[in-house]
Amino acid sequence: MPRTPEPEVIISGAGAAGLTLAIDLARRNVGFLLIDKAAGPFMGSRGKGIQPRSQEVFEDLGVIDRIVASGGEYPVVRFHTDEGPVDRPFERSGPTPAEPYHIPLLVPQFLTERCLRERLAELGHAPLYGHELTGIDQDDDGVSARIATPSGERTVRAAYLVGADGGSSFVRKSLDIGFPGKTLGVRAAVADVRVDGVSTDAWHRWGEGADTQVSLCPLYGTDMFQYVGPVPFDVDIDVSAAGLTALFHERTGRTDIVVREVSWASVFSMNARLADTYRIGRVLLTGDAAHVHPPTGGQGLNTGVQDAYNLGWKLAAVLDGAPRSLLDSYERERRPIAEAVLGLSERLLEAARSRFTSRGREVSQLDLGYADSPLTVATPYRDKGPLAGERAPDAPVTGAGGLDTRLFSLFQGPHWTLLGHEVDRTAAPTARKGLHIHTTGPRGDLNDTGGHFRDAYGLAAGQWVLVRPDGYIAAVADLHTIEAHLDAVGLRTGGASSGWR
């Protein structure tokens, strides 16, 4: 059998973050090895909330339609009180041309990851389960990974290794990276269950604000509910169908509701922790390996997905000859985000321990950005429109051929995008590998028919905006400044790849 070529990147951990990174590398034609020590895919609902910003990421990766089809919108929350049930709907706002996704989705984690595996298979790849990383050695030229496989130990050499292997990360521990934080004083049982006697039209809650609370949330796309309830520390919890039924009856007094089957269950203590660093040499951390969150607010999985989305294009660029310093921006951009999101999750947890609180825009992750990044060109004063470092808005536009499209459709893919407003296309800069250029105005390829592009970006005639591969604005500037920035991040005018690693 011919030997397969060595990968350029090894990804340890095939959860949502690892799969996202693998998809991004695959569509950039970067060779990788995706391994996971588990015997097969994770089958629990754990991270079930998909926030609007992650939906934008999933659109770019080509999976949003199947993600939406796998779940649904969050149902009304139904509090069962002594006076009777009280319904409280989730706050919702409709989409806008600039923000097409406003509503969080409820999708069990195992279905989200199934969608990602399907997309990865379309790109010609699959995770290797039953492959456990057992050792890491690195030098100036690359990383050697020792991997225990079903057929024996194997050593694989790669340019980079990424630990996406969860909160108990072997990669993080091997590098002796500190993981400070705190245990939050809450232990919970969570399980995917089939239940008799409860409707699927609401997220049912009993005993809200008490240590004896319990909830049943319907898992759309399945015939199951997610069962959640706080439990005491240092007490064995019976997570069988009979045990969860008994706990439910004890807390609610409702003997008409019976757990008849448990598909997956876990008892865990909630923590908030953040790695001291995301990178040592050629080894990087992403997702839960770098930060763990309490489940309140649905932030953990989403933050991990966006870590991987930030890292993928940078790894690919460096492997294709961009300056290695580009990877320094990964931690500079993502670690402050994780720190802020951890604070939000803790505040929501504290509020939830005493009462139910609504969750608004702060959990959507649409307003997170990279204003202080070394990849962001400081924006001169503007009285309207987004600044460099902020998320690039969507907008409907019409092609010169008369077909309707959207900016997000033009952004989709592994490239940078340069947009010129009311400019002559002949004034556009020299073509570069990995840069798509679009203009409105005389002989432009886009028509801003409804003025949505102008309104979303606040651009004056003749202005340009540069959008990164991950959908954030790198610069709102003149062409000289933009071309200098493209030079700095390794986008060359013509010529072959240098292959510098």
Side-chain angles (χ1 to χ4, degrees):
M1 178 180 294
R3 181 174 175 81
T4 58
E6 295 290 8
E8 295 174 286
V9 179
I10 299 168
I11 307 168
S12 179
L19 288 164
T20 298
L21 179 58
I23 291 169
D24 205 17
L25 294 179
R27 66 178 183 160
R28 298 171 189 279
N29 297 314
V30 174
F32 63 89
L33 183 68
L34 174 61
I35 62 172
D36 198 297
K37 69 179 181 180
F42 175 70
M43 293 307 295
S45 66
R46 187 164 51 204
K48 65 182 185 299
I50 307 297
Q51 300 297 345
R53 177 56 187 155
S54 294
Q55 294 172 46
E56 295 180 350
V57 171
F58 287 149
E59 179 181 345
D60 181 42
L61 297 180
V63 296
I64 185 58
D65 289 334
R66 68 190 88 185
I67 292 282
V68 173
S70 296
E73 297 178 12
Y74 275 79
V76 63
V77 179
R78 182 165 298 156
F79 299 96
H80 295 269
T81 71
D82 292 341
E83 291 75 31
V86 177
D87 285 357
R88 183 178 298 171
F90 274 85
E91 293 183 7
R92 291 182 170 93
S93 58
T96 67
E99 296 178 348
Y101 303 104
H102 261 217
I103 299 172
L105 297 175
L106 195 164
V107 186
Q109 183 172 335
F110 71 91
L111 292 183
T112 296
E113 292 181 1
R114 178 188 299 174
C115 293
L116 294 172
R117 288 194 302 275
E118 290 173 355
R119 178 63 178 137
L120 188 60
E122 293 171 353
L123 294 168
H125 299 271
L128 294 178
Y129 292 102
H131 285 59
E132 181 176 3
L133 184 65
T134 60
I136 303 169
D137 298 296
Q138 64 171 312
D139 53 43
D140 290 343
D141 298 320
V143 182
S144 296
R146 295 187 299 279
I147 302 170
T149 80
S151 57
E153 186 167 281
R154 172 187 175 193
T155 298
V156 180
R157 184 76 172 170
Y160 293 95
L161 184 146
V162 179
D165 49 346
S168 58
S169 170
F170 173 83
V171 174
R172 188 189 65 244
K173 293 174 182 177
S174 295
L175 297 179
D176 199 26
I177 294 174
F179 202 40
K182 56 187 174 182
T183 299
L184 300 173
V186 178
R187 184 174 183 238
V190 58
D192 297 343
V193 299
R194 293 179 174 87
V195 185
D196 293 329
V198 65
S199 67
T200 60
D201 64 337
W203 183 346
H204 301 272
R205 301 188 181 207
W206 291 264
E208 195 67 18
D211 290 338
T212 56
Q213 64 184 280
V214 65
S215 71
L216 289 168
C217 180
L219 297 174
Y220 298 129
T222 78
D223 60 350
M224 296 183 290
F225 289 78
Q226 188 185 73
Y227 178 122
V228 179
V231 294
F233 285 87
D234 303 321
V235 174
D236 289 335
I237 303 299
D238 181 359
V239 292
S240 68
L244 292 177
T245 296
L247 181 64
F248 184 85
H249 289 175
E250 176 186 334
R251 294 188 174 187
T252 68
R254 292 283 299 272
T255 58
D256 58 321
I257 297 175
V258 176
V259 177
R260 58 181 172 85
E261 185 180 339
V262 178
S263 173
W264 167 82
S266 176
V267 179
F268 68 100
S269 298
M270 296 185 190
N271 287 272
R273 298 187 180 276
L274 179 62
D276 283 338
T277 183
Y278 282 23
R279 178 189 177 197
I280 292 182
R282 291 177 171 268
V283 182
L284 304 100
L285 302 177
T286 198
D288 287 353
H291 45 80
V292 294
H293 308 247
T296 42
Q299 300 293 289
L301 180 146
N302 294 272
T303 304
V305 162
Q306 291 169 60
D307 285 347
Y309 189 58
N310 182 288
L311 178 58
W313 71 268
K314 295 173 181 177
L315 276 172
V318 170
L319 288 165
D320 194 39
R324 296 185 193 181
S325 59
L326 187 64
L327 284 178
D328 295 339
S329 69
Y330 169 60
E331 180 171 346
R332 285 276 301 273
E333 291 182 348
R334 293 305 302 170
R335 195 172 183 279
I337 294 289
E339 192 169 19
V341 169
L342 279 168
L344 171 62
S345 298
E346 287 185 64
R347 292 192 299 274
L348 291 172
L349 175 62
E350 189 58 36
R353 294 173 74 172
S354 58
R355 65 192 183 281
F356 176 76
T357 56
S358 61
R359 300 170 186 170
R361 186 178 175 89
E362 73 276 8
V363 302
S364 72
Q365 301 200 349
L366 290 171
D367 297 326
L368 301 177
Y370 309 128
D372 297 327
S373 169
L375 301 185
T376 298
V377 178
T379 307
Y381 173 78
R382 306 179 71 209
D383 59 359
K384 61 180 179 178
L387 304 179
E390 296 180 359
R391 165 194 166 276
D394 194 10
V397 291
T398 304
L403 296 180
D404 293 336
T405 186
R406 298 159 54 219
L407 292 185
F408 275 13
S409 296
L410 302 179
F411 296 164
Q412 188 171 20
H415 54 270
W416 293 68
T417 305
L418 180 61
L419 301 171
H421 181 57
E422 294 296 327
V423 299
D424 190 320
R425 185 169 176 80
T426 59
T430 304
R432 295 172 184 251
K433 177 185 176 182
L435 176 67
H436 292 192
I437 303 171
H438 300 282
T439 62
T440 66
R443 293 191 293 279
D445 60 313
L446 300 178
N447 294 311
D448 188 18
T449 310
H452 296 293
F453 172 40
R454 179 199 62 223
D455 293 344
Y457 284 83
L459 297 178
Q463 282 192 306
W464 296 82
V465 58
L466 178 65
V467 180
R468 300 171 9 163
D470 55 355
Y472 287 88
I473 297 172
V476 181
D478 60 82
L479 281 183
H480 176 75
T481 300
I482 285 174
E483 293 209 84
H485 188 67
L486 291 171
D487 290 339
V489 297
L491 267 71
R492 298 169 298 282
T493 55
S497 167
S498 70
W500 179 27
R501 296 184 184 179

